[in-house]
């Protein structure tokens, strides 16, 4: 890109603003080198970097780049075997430290599934040297100060120095605060020639012996090193020399450790500079409210509501700029101060920014082209020294442009052909535009010449444009009107200034009606073209969203299918485990039933058999009926009616329905018991023909013998009492008592506690509580059955 156009279009001012957002010397240097690129892949890569930076800025506040100076000079000195000072080594340590911090930062972004186009790869190029980083961090402060941890000898020497200094100050303080203080001109202990001294009056300088190191400007005070601290000062001097020698040794050792890694450190420094530049571009885009432009290989430019980046966004007038698809040349006509030149500069500067990888001040989905060269002939460049007039300077520049221009060039002409005879200037302008058209260049030109209005109509790939003028305020609006040539607005202005209406009408009749109709037709076509562009952008957005949703649905379906298969396998596995467990439990229950059968008749209780059968039936897992005709018919046949024989599934016993208590509850005759059961526990059965009775075990019901509603256990042993309670509860249930009273007495409370524990575990007991005070109080328990 030629330097003249960069200067004329004020590209350097954009770079100055961009540089304000850098924090490293490397980033600042990259901004100075940043120039518009000319290849599609290069430009797209730079835009991808800026987009990554903008995303990180939005999500995390930017890449955490620290303030780092350039370490390139330090690395060059290391290459020739030099020893770096502490500050230089600390600056290299910052570079290494950033590499580790950057790895953690981008690892966290990856864990959050933040999508980046370029920066993950750039971060992977950083070299992490943990051992060297740790050694530098331990040995040096950020300002280059060598720490006590750098070596054990250095720590020991500094401890000795501190002790010696303390001893010196203690002795000198004795002098300044004791009887000898009257010989001093002050009480401050100071340092002269790296030795501790005290201020002594001139007439008493020999009082303390020692060495005079300095005197005041008045000559009234001598700075004396007393004899009592000379030896200590000598020792301190030796210790300081030893400390400095150890520091030099440490710095030399650290420099030797760093030297083999100069290439890696240099690479890291370059990447830090690039991160800093990306951060700066993202921050500048945020300040400018800029958006990412799309690239058009065909140079189909469509800038939506673009404004000049150096203008205040809130005040700048935004315009649509279209060039390259239906026309490669645009001629803007109209009066001065209407905004023609700023429109010209806007197109050129926006192209340069986009090709440099910067976001542009325009609405989203704007497109820019890719130009090898952008030529600009803008402003008055007359030169007194070279004896060049305005016309001559312009023509000299145009001649140079015409020699270099090709189909990958964008040419910007301000006031083409100005500065000479209007007729000749217009002819030259038309010829120059024709020449540029023959070379396939893209052109945006401004002019005053009315002849170029006709040129815009007659030449292919060329269109007229003008800057809007407010006829009410008689001021320009700075809005670009594509397809409409500039008009003088003389009729409207004259009418507002009071010219007679019949004169204006006569003047209008003298103008060509066809010209007016053509302007309106072109304006309508341009309006439709813009609407078509907006519709296409909206459709493209909808298509992108639809594709995104389709991709997400496809991914989710694949995940669903995989999850379904996994769940089916898990279900089969769990079902097999349940079957195994059920078989094991069934075997245990059958074993218990067989043991019951082998016992004496009087020892077998009816509720034990019912509970065992219920456990066996509970092993079967109920299945929901499917909604089909056959199953609905089967369900209908199962409709319950009074006097139906049913199977009580929860107990595994047969019974007869007596009556329906409510919507889902039936009263069932279950042997000698009447129970209220939910219909979900009842299964209708068909009564089989009666068969001859078979011999078998007979259970005698306790209800045939008299059962008292009150059981007295006083005076009985603990085990005997609990056994009797167990049998009594079973007999009371079979007798149909709703409640009974167990008298256990107060005593030690052991029997009462045992009965309470038993009742808590008996499933037939609904609740229980102590009797009323007049019926035994806490010496008796009233038990209620379900």
């Amino acid at each position: 890109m030629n330097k003249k156009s960069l200067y004329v279009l004020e590209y350097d001012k954009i770079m100055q603003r961009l540089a304000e957002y850098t924090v490293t010397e490397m980033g600042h240097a990259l901004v100075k080198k940043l120039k518009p690129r000319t290849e599609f892949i290069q430009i797209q890569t730079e835009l991808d970097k800026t987009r990554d930076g903008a995303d990180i800025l939005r999500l995390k506040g930017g890449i955490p780049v620290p303030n780092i100076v350039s370490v390139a000079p330090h690395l060059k000195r290391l290459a020739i075997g030099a020893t770096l000072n502490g500050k230089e080594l600390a600056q290299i340590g910052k570079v290494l430290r950033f590499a580790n911090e950057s790895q953690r930062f981008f690892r966290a972004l990856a864990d959050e599934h933040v999508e980046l186009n370029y920066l993950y790869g750039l971060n992977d190029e950083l070299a992490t040297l943990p051992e060297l980083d740790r050694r530098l961090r331990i040995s040096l402060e950020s300002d280059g100060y060598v720490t006590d941890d750098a070596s054990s000898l250095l720590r020991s020497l500094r401890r000795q120095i501190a002790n010696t200094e303390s001893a010196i100050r203690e002795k000198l303080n004795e002098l300044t605060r004791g009887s000898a203080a009257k010989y001093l001109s002050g009480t401050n202990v100071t340092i002269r020639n790296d030795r501790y001294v005290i201020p002594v009056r001139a007439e008493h300088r020999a009082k303390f012996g020692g060495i005079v190191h300095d005197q005041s400007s008045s000559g009234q005070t001598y700075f004396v090193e007393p004899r009592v601290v000379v030896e200590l000062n000598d020792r301190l001097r030796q210790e300081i020399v030893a400390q400095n020698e150890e520091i030099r040794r440490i710095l030399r050792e650290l420099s030797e450790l760093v030297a083999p890694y100069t290439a890696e450190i240099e690479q890291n420094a370059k990447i830090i500079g690039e991160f800093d530049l990306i951060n700066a571009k993202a921050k500048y885009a945020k300040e400018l409210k800029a958006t990412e432009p799309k690239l058009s290989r065909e140079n189909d430019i469509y800038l939506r509501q673009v404004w000049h980046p150096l203008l205040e966004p809130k005040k700048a007038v935004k315009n649509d700029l279209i060039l390259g698809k239906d026309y490669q040349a645009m001629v803007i006509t109209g009066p001065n101060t209407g905004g023609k030149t700023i429109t010209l500069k806007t197109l050129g500067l926006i192209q340069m920014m986009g090709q440099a990888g910067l976001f542009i001040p325009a609405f989203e989905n704007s497109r820019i082209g890719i130009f090898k060269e952008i030529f600009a002939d803008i402003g008055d460049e007359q030169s007194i020294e070279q004896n060049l007039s305005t016309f001559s300077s312009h023509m000299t520049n145009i001649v140079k442009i015409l020699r270099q221009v090709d189909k990958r060039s964008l040419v910007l002409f301000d006031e083409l052909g100005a500065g000479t005879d209007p007729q000749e200037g217009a002819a030259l302008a038309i010829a120059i535009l024709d020449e540029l058209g023959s070379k396939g260049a893209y052109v945006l030109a401004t002019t005053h010449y009315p002849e170029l209005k006709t040129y815009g109509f007659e030449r292919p790939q060329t269109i007229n444009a003008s800057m809007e003028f407010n006829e009410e305020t008689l001021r320009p609006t700075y809005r670009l009107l594509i397809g409409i040539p500039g008009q003088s607005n003389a009729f409207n202005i004259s009418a507002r200034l009071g010219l007679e209406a019949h004169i204006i009408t006569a003047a209008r009749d003298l103008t060509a009606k066809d010209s007016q109709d053509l302007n309106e037709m072109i304006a309508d076509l341009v309006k439709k073209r813009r609407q078509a562009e907006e519709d296409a952008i909206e459709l493209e957005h909808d298509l992108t969203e639809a594709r995104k949703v389709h991709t997400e649905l496809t991914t989710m379906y694949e995940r669903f299918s995989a999850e379904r298969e996994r769940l089916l396998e898990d279900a089969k596995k769990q079902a097999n485990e349940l079957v195994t467990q059920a078989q094991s439990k069934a075997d245990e229950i059958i074993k218990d039933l067989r043991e019951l059968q082998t016992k004496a008749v009087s020892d077998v209780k009816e509720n034990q058999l019912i509970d065992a059968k219920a456990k066996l039936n509970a092993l079967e897992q109920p299945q929901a009926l499917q909604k089909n005709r056959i199953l609905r018919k089967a369900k209908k046949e199962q409709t319950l009616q009074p006097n139906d024989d049913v199977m009580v599934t929860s107990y595994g016993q047969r019974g007869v329905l007596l009556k329906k208590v409510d919507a889902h509850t039936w009263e069932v005759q279950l042997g000698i018991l009447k129970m209220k059961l939910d219909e979900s526990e009842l299964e209708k059965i068909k009564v089989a023909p009666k068969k001859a009775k078979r011999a078998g075990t007979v259970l005698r019901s306790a209800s045939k013998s008299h059962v008292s509603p009150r059981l007295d256990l006083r005076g009985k042993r603990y085990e005997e009492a609990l056994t009797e309670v167990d049998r009594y509860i079973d007999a009371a249930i079979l007798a149909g008592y709703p409640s009974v009273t167990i008298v256990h007495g107060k005593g030690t409370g052991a029997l009462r506690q045992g009965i309470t524990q038993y009742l808590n575990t008996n499933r037939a007991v609904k609740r229980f509580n102590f009797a009323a005070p007049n019926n035994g109080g806490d010496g008796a328990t009233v038990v209620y059955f379900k």
Side-chain angles (χ1 to χ4, degrees):
M1 201 70 67
N2 66 88
K3 294 181 179 179
K4 181 179 177 60
S5 295
L6 293 172
Y7 171 75
V8 169
L9 296 174
E10 300 178 297
Y11 178 80
D12 59 318
K13 292 184 178 180
I14 299 296
M15 294 299 102
Q16 289 172 9
R17 295 195 177 184
L18 180 62
E20 294 174 1
Y21 294 98
T22 58
V23 295
T24 69
E25 288 186 3
M26 298 82 77
H28 194 84
L30 288 177
V31 170
K32 288 184 176 180
K33 296 178 182 178
L34 185 61
K35 294 293 185 290
R37 300 180 181 269
T38 58
E39 299 299 329
F40 179 90
I41 294 180
Q42 294 176 340
I43 299 171
Q44 190 60 63
T45 299
E46 293 303 314
L47 289 174
D48 287 344
K49 294 179 185 177
T50 306
R51 187 196 313 143
D52 286 353
D55 289 342
I56 293 175
L57 179 64
R58 174 174 50 84
L59 296 172
K60 300 294 182 181
I63 307 169
V65 178
N67 187 348
I68 299 178
V69 301
S70 174
V71 296
H74 314 338
L75 299 179
K76 288 181 180 179
R77 291 182 58 212
L78 283 175
I80 60 174
T83 298
L84 302 183
N85 60 40
K87 189 174 183 179
E88 292 169 335
L89 286 167
Q91 290 166 351
I92 289 177
K94 277 188 177 182
V95 173
L96 294 175
R97 194 150 49 251
F98 172 80
N100 293 325
E101 293 172 355
S102 178
Q103 294 293 333
R104 289 193 293 270
F105 178 77
F106 282 96
R107 193 180 303 117
L109 288 179
D111 292 341
E112 296 176 16
H113 304 290
V114 177
E115 293 185 5
L116 300 175
N117 296 288
Y118 186 85
L119 295 191
Y120 284 133
L122 186 61
N123 176 70
D124 291 341
E125 295 178 14
L126 285 170
T128 55
L129 305 170
E131 290 300 323
L132 181 58
D133 175 38
R134 186 184 63 82
R135 179 65 189 279
L136 291 175
R137 189 169 60 253
I138 290 174
S139 303
L140 300 168
E141 299 285 355
S142 59
D143 59 356
Y145 176 77
V146 181
T147 66
D148 293 351
D149 296 328
S151 75
S152 57
L153 176 58
L154 181 62
R155 181 185 295 106
S156 175
L157 289 171
R158 283 179 173 168
R159 190 180 298 114
Q160 293 174 18
I161 290 172
N163 292 336
T164 304
E165 286 179 334
S166 178
I168 292 172
R169 287 185 177 278
E170 184 177 347
K171 287 186 176 295
L172 292 179
N173 285 336
E174 291 175 358
L175 296 177
T176 58
R177 296 174 183 174
S179 59
K182 60 187 177 181
Y183 304 113
L184 305 177
S185 58
T187 60
N188 295 330
V189 175
T190 60
I191 295 177
R192 291 292 187 275
N193 299 327
D194 296 329
R195 301 177 77 86
Y196 284 90
V197 297
I198 55 176
V200 181
R201 292 177 182 175
E203 60 270 23
H204 302 296
R205 62 184 179 181
K207 181 70 177 174
F208 299 95
I211 304 168
V212 176
H213 286 278
D214 198 4
Q215 68 178 11
S216 65
S217 57
S218 64
Q220 299 299 313
T221 299
Y222 282 81
F223 294 95
V224 178
E225 178 186 0
R227 185 183 302 108
V228 294
V229 297
V230 170
E231 184 178 351
L232 288 173
N233 268 331
D234 289 340
R235 188 169 73 190
L236 177 63
R237 181 66 179 171
Q238 293 171 0
E239 291 170 349
I240 291 175
V241 170
Q243 171 197 246
N244 293 338
E245 179 58 32
E246 176 63 10
I247 289 174
R248 282 192 293 271
R249 186 196 68 78
I250 292 171
L251 295 177
R252 184 166 57 252
E253 180 182 345
L254 293 176
S255 297
E256 291 172 354
L257 288 174
V258 173
Y261 301 103
T262 54
E264 290 85 348
I265 296 170
E266 183 178 11
Q267 173 71 4
N268 284 2
K270 289 180 179 178
I271 294 174
I272 291 172
E274 192 161 359
F275 277 143
D276 190 23
L277 174 61
I278 292 168
N279 255 356
K281 291 196 292 184
K283 292 176 181 178
Y284 184 43
K286 181 180 180 181
E287 183 213 349
L288 202 57
K289 293 181 174 59
T291 62
E292 179 185 3
K294 295 183 177 180
L295 288 181
S296 171
R297 295 179 184 270
E298 296 78 22
N299 290 333
D300 178 14
I301 301 172
Y302 181 46
L303 302 178
R304 304 177 63 223
Q305 295 296 287
V306 67
W307 68 94
H308 196 283
L310 298 178
L311 297 178
E312 182 66 31
K314 293 182 179 179
K315 297 180 180 179
V317 176
K318 300 174 177 59
N319 284 303
D320 290 329
L321 271 173
I322 306 172
L323 188 69
K325 187 175 183 179
D326 295 333
Y327 38 84
Q328 290 186 215
M330 182 185 296
V331 179
I332 306 176
T333 55
N336 285 331
T337 69
K340 298 193 305 296
T341 303
I342 197 70
T343 301
L344 208 69
K345 287 185 174 182
T346 298
L347 175 60
L349 189 53
I350 292 301
Q351 270 295 147
M352 288 180 174
M353 289 178 64
Q355 290 185 218
L358 298 175
F359 283 8
I360 62 173
F363 284 9
E364 290 183 348
N365 294 308
S366 293
R367 291 191 304 271
I368 62 172
I370 304 171
F371 296 105
K372 184 178 179 181
E373 278 289 358
I374 298 177
F375 299 101
D377 180 58
I378 300 174
D380 187 358
E381 300 182 20
Q382 61 178 325
S383 172
I384 296 176
E385 293 181 357
Q386 298 181 13
N387 194 26
L388 293 176
S389 65
T390 299
F391 176 77
S392 298
S393 63
H394 278 295
M395 194 51 60
T396 300
N397 195 23
I398 290 171
V399 169
K400 292 179 181 178
I401 291 173
L402 292 175
R403 288 174 180 170
Q404 303 176 61
V405 76
D406 59 18
K407 63 181 180 180
R408 292 192 60 194
S409 300
L410 173 63
V411 184
L412 307 173
F413 284 142
D414 188 28
E415 299 300 341
L416 182 61
T420 186
D421 176 75
Q423 187 174 359
E424 294 179 352
L428 275 172
I430 291 172
I432 291 169
L433 291 174
D434 282 341
E435 177 65 14
L436 291 172
S438 67
K439 293 186 176 183
Y442 296 79
V443 183
L444 185 61
T446 68
T447 181
H448 278 105
Y449 297 134
E451 291 84 352
L452 269 75
K453 297 179 184 179
T454 307
Y455 178 85
F457 292 140
E458 295 175 345
R459 294 299 195 276
Q461 295 289 305
T462 305
I463 193 170
N464 281 318
S466 62
M467 305 307 295
E468 186 181 53
F469 188 84
N470 191 319
E471 298 176 4
E472 298 294 328
T473 62
L474 302 181
R475 292 179 179 274
T477 65
Y478 306 106
R479 297 190 179 279
L480 180 66
L481 303 176
I482 300 177
I484 303 175
Q487 299 179 10
S488 65
N489 298 296
F491 296 152
N492 295 328
I493 295 173
S494 299
R496 287 181 56 81
L497 295 176
L499 189 63
E500 295 292 337
H502 69 276
I503 299 175
I504 295 175
T505 301
R508 288 186 187 279
D509 292 339
L510 296 174
T511 60
K513 184 69 168 61
D514 292 343
S515 177
Q516 297 178 19
D517 293 341
L518 183 59
N519 288 346
E520 294 175 0
M521 180 184 69
I522 294 175
D524 182 62
L525 289 174
V526 171
K527 182 179 179 181
K528 291 180 178 178
R529 159 71 190 279
R530 182 181 180 280
Q531 185 60 47
E533 289 280 1
E534 292 297 319
D535 291 344
I537 289 172
E538 186 175 353
L539 288 172
E540 184 178 355
H541 177 266
D542 292 343
L543 180 60
T544 301
E545 290 296 319
R547 286 174 176 166
K548 182 179 179 181
V549 172
H550 179 268
T551 302
E552 290 177 355
L553 288 174
T554 302
T555 304
M556 292 174 65
Y557 177 75
E558 291 174 352
R559 290 178 182 173
F560 166 75
S561 299
E563 184 69 10
R564 181 179 60 186
E565 293 298 325
R566 187 186 67 79
L567 290 175
L568 284 173
E569 290 299 320
D570 290 346
K572 291 177 182 178
K573 182 178 179 181
Q574 292 175 7
N576 291 334
E577 291 175 354
L578 288 173
V579 169
T580 302
Q581 294 173 5
Q583 288 175 343
S584 176
K585 290 180 180 179
D587 291 341
E588 292 177 4
I589 294 169
I590 292 171
K591 180 181 177 182
D592 292 341
L593 287 173
R594 287 175 176 168
E595 290 178 355
L596 289 174
Q597 288 177 349
T598 60
K599 291 183 179 179
V601 173
S602 59
D603 291 337
V604 180
K605 301 173 184 177
E606 185 176 351
N607 69 300
Q608 288 178 294
L609 292 173
I610 293 174
D611 288 345
K613 188 68 178 296
K615 289 180 182 178
L616 192 59
N617 292 334
L619 297 177
E620 181 182 358
Q621 299 298 316
Q623 295 181 342
L625 292 176
Q626 297 184 7
K627 295 182 179 180
N628 58 51
R629 186 181 303 173
I630 297 174
L631 293 179
R632 284 199 300 269
K633 182 179 179 181
K635 187 175 181 181
K636 186 176 181 181
E637 292 177 353
Q638 288 291 328
T639 304
L640 301 176
Q641 300 293 337
N643 299 319
D644 282 348
D645 290 296
V646 293
M647 174 64 71
V648 182
T649 57
S650 56
Y651 291 100
Q653 295 293 313
R654 295 179 60 169
V656 179
L657 297 180
L658 298 179
K659 62 179 179 179
K660 194 168 187 179
V661 179
D662 56 35
H664 301 288
T665 306
W666 286 83
E667 186 177 86
V668 184
Q669 183 73 42
L670 192 65
I672 62 173
L673 300 176
K674 289 183 181 180
M675 304 180 69
K676 292 180 180 179
L677 300 170
D678 190 275
E679 64 181 11
S680 63
E681 302 178 56
L682 306 175
E683 182 179 334
K684 187 175 181 180
I685 59 176
K686 293 181 180 181
V687 180
K690 293 185 179 180
K691 297 182 180 179
K693 292 185 178 179
R694 298 175 61 185
T697 303
V698 179
L699 296 179
R700 299 185 181 276
S701 174
S703 62
K704 293 181 180 179
S705 61
H706 175 70
V707 179
S708 173
R710 185 180 182 88
L711 175 63
D712 193 345
L713 300 174
R714 287 175 294 185
K716 296 189 177 183
R717 292 181 301 167
Y718 182 83
E719 291 80 9
E720 180 185 0
L722 288 182
T723 302
E724 191 168 342
V725 167
D726 183 41
R727 292 177 178 175
Y728 175 75
I729 292 296
D730 290 340
I733 291 172
L734 293 175
Y737 289 147
S739 65
V740 294
T741 301
I742 301 175
V743 181
H744 44 69
K746 296 181 181 180
T748 62
L751 181 56
R752 177 178 56 194
Q753 183 178 359
I755 292 172
T756 299
Q757 292 176 351
Y758 167 77
L759 294 176
N760 277 326
T761 59
N762 194 312
R763 292 184 300 174
V765 175
K766 181 178 182 181
R767 60 187 175 85
F768 60 91
N769 50 261
F770 292 131
N774 60 356
N775 198 25
D778 58 358
T781 299
V782 181
V783 183
Y784 299 91
F785 302 113
K786 295 181 179 179

